[in-house]
Amino acid sequence: MIHRRHALGLLAAASILPSRSLANVSYQRSEFREGLARRFFDVGTEGTFVAYKVDDYLIIASDKVRSGEGKLPASTFKIPNSLIALETGVVQDPDKDVFKWDGVTRSIEAWNKDHTLRSAIAASAVPVYQEIARRIGQEQMQKYVDLLEYGNRDIGGGIDQFWLTGNLRIDPIQQVDFVDRLRRGVLPVSKRAQELVRDILPVTKVSDATIRAKSGLLGAEIGKPTLGWLVGWAEKGSQQTVFAMNMDVRDPSHVAARMTVTQQCLADIVAI
């Protein structure tokens, strides 16, 4: 295994991907597969897809530029937000601790009710996670965002807004690195917190494959989505593939297309 600091920049040196290698994983190879980009073009938009085929130590990307461009994480930040909530004790039990609806009627009906952490991540309930972030507080949030080495680590722009409209940025390769560390349970937080977050991640079944993933939709809370994310990993038998995609949302159909395009890209590389 190679130390994280020595892993940085290996992909850039290989002139395949522009960002960084994955933490504590040696002998990685990387490939650029332009054909994956057609999946975005087929639905009338542009985007990027990055995958890490764990058994093959192989990183695959659809492009050499956007795969390394940092963007607001939107609701994909609910993954680290959940970890931090559990680690700090803001949430003790993801199924029993209840966040009461504040009574404000919002355009997304699933947000207009009480939630546990498990139901909130399934509904991608922004108001619940904003309240969680406020309870965590600026100092603790910064401490753990730094500890998790999440994106550019900049939480400026408001404790309940920094991942939606603030300064936080993360690129798809960084997303894959973070999600892979969660998958392996090697993040610098308790094993319990990591196990619980892996357990509450939304699950999609595709034939004999299982996809555990969190979506993100920039602008969803104001009803004007502009960017869509999907990050997670696919399991098929013993084979696991970690992925991150983002795409421009130019049409309402692109909201659902996030999962469709992801499944198509995964099928192109691992035949799920």
Side-chain angles (χ1 to χ4, degrees), residues 2 11 18-19 24 75 84 88 98 111 113 150 178 196 260 264 267:
I2 55 177
L11 297 179
S19 186
N24 303 318
S75 285
I84 298 166
T88 58
V98 176
W111 296 0
K113 63 179 184 178
Y150 188 86
F178 172 73
L196 288 172
T260 304
Q264 290 172 339

Side-chain angles (χ1 to χ4, degrees), residues 40 48-50 172 228-231 243-247 257-258 261-262:
F40 299 96
T48 186
F49 180 83
V50 177
W229 279 100
L230 194 68
V231 306
F243 65 85
M245 69 82 75
N246 68 51
M247 56 186 278
R258 290 173 297 172
V261 169
T262 295

Side-chain angles (χ1 to χ4, degrees), residues 21 65 95 97 99 127 151 158 169 175-176 178 213 235 237 241 266 272:
S21 187
V65 178
D95 295 302
D97 292 6
F99 291 84
R169 299 291 185 276
Q175 290 269 30
V176 167
F178 172 73
E235 304 167 347
T241 304
L266 284 169
I272 65 167

Side-chain angles (χ1 to χ4, degrees), residues 108-121:
I108 299 176
E109 185 59 35
W111 296 0
N112 301 326
K113 63 179 184 178
D114 298 347
H115 278 288
T116 62
L117 193 67
R118 186 184 298 276
S119 68
I121 200 168

Side-chain angles (χ1 to χ4, degrees), residues 198-248:
R198 288 195 297 267
D199 183 61
I200 66 174
L201 277 177
V203 172
T204 300
K205 296 286 188 178
V206 184
S207 186
D208 58 346
T210 300
I211 298 175
R212 302 180 188 278
K214 182 69 196 77
S215 61
L217 197 60
L218 201 61
E221 71 282 359
I222 58 174
K224 296 180 180 179
T226 57
L227 178 78
W229 279 100
L230 194 68
V231 306
W233 67 93
E235 304 167 347
K236 183 179 181 181
S238 62
Q239 186 178 46
Q240 300 198 42
T241 304
V242 187
F243 65 85
M245 69 82 75
N246 68 51
M247 56 186 278
D248 298 334

Side-chain angles (χ1 to χ4, degrees), residues 106-174:
R106 297 175 175 87
S107 59
I108 299 176
E109 185 59 35
W111 296 0
N112 301 326
K113 63 179 184 178
D114 298 347
H115 278 288
T116 62
L117 193 67
R118 186 184 298 276
S119 68
I121 200 168
S124 205
V126 169
V128 173
Y129 276 88
Q130 289 179 309
E131 175 60 21
I132 287 171
R134 289 190 289 266
R135 294 186 189 183
I136 291 169
Q138 188 83 16
E139 184 177 348
Q140 286 279 77
M141 184 68 80
Q142 186 67 69
K143 170 188 171 181
Y144 281 98
V145 168
D146 286 340
L147 195 62
L148 295 170
E149 301 183 40
Y150 188 86
N152 66 357
R153 312 184 195 184
D154 187 343
I155 67 170
I159 187 60
D160 58 2
Q161 291 290 330
F162 65 86
W163 67 92
L164 299 169
T165 61
N167 298 342
L168 188 61
R169 299 291 185 276
I170 190 166
D171 67 49
I173 299 171
Q174 291 171 324

Side-chain angles (χ1 to χ4, degrees), residues 17 31-34 36 48-51 59-63 67:
L17 302 178
E31 292 181 5
F32 165 57
R33 295 191 187 178
E34 188 177 14
L36 294 170
T48 186
F49 180 83
V50 177
I59 302 167
I60 299 168
S62 63
D63 67 277
S67 58

